[in-house]
Amino acid sequence: QVQLQESGPGLVKPSETLSLMCTVSGGSMNNYYWSWIRQPPGKGLEWIGCIYYSGSTNYNPSLKSRVTISVDTSKNQFSLKLSSATAADTAVYYCARQAGTMPGAPYFDYWGLGTLVTVSS
Amino acid sequence: SYELTQPPSVSVSPGQTATITCSGDTLGNNFAYWYQQKPGQSPVLVIYQDFKRPSGIPERFSGSNSGSTATLTISGTQAMDEADYYCQAWDSTTVVFGGGTKLTVL
C-alpha cells in the first residue's frame, strides 16, 4: 500500500519561500508522476504541478513563475518550493501519486494526509 | 481558463439516489474523475475515467460523462456518504477541479 507523508514548516513569512517535502513509502516512484495539490481553508482543490520520476515537470500556468518541484528517487522523496509567498498561499498542501496519462488524463489515486501551511508575519 | 461547475450543495434522504453534476465546455471529450472528501480528511478517488470504480469503492457509486456534463450518482445513499465531492478533468495545459459539492444526507 503506497503511503505519502508531507513535511515542512507550518508557518512561512510573507515574501519568503514555502518549502515542503513528500516522502513515499510502500512502493516505487518509478514510472509515475507525483503531484502537489493545495486547498485553502474552507475552499476547493488546486493542482500546483507534478514531476515524473525521471525529473520532467508540468506546472499549473497560474503558479508556474513561482513553483519548483524536484525529485530524489534514491530517497523516495519529492519536494515543492513556492517563492514569494503571500497570505493567498495559506492552504493545506497535499502530495499525491498521479496515475493515468500525462498530459491528457491524469488523476490522483494516493494522497498524503496534508499539511497546513500558514503565510503570516 | 477552463472551468468545471458544480452545484454548491445537494441534499438527499437516506436510501435515495443522489446526483451530483459537473459541467464544463466539451467535458465529454475528456475523462472525468470524482473525489470524496470528508471533514479533516484527504480526498479519496471514487470514480476514474468517467465510470470506473477503484478497488474498495462501493458499487452504489457510479459515473457518466457526455456532452458537457459529467455526473456522479450514489444509489441507496448512506449517512457515511455525507461529504464534499469534487470533479476533476484535464484542460490542455493543467489539471482542473470543480468547486466542490457538499452532499448532505438527511
Side-chain angles (χ1 to χ4, degrees), chain A residues 79-92:
Chain A
S79 66
L80 168 70
K81 293 188 184 297
L82 181 65
S83 63
S84 304
T86 70
D89 295 315
T90 294
V92 174

Side-chain angles (χ1 to χ4, degrees), chain A residues 41-64:
Chain A
K43 297 187 178 181
L45 300 165
E46 180 180 33
W47 180 72
I48 299 169
C50 67
I51 189 163
Y52 197 45
Y53 78 102
S54 61
S56 62
T57 55
N58 292 82
Y59 298 137
N60 187 325
S62 69
L63 297 168
K64 187 174 184 177

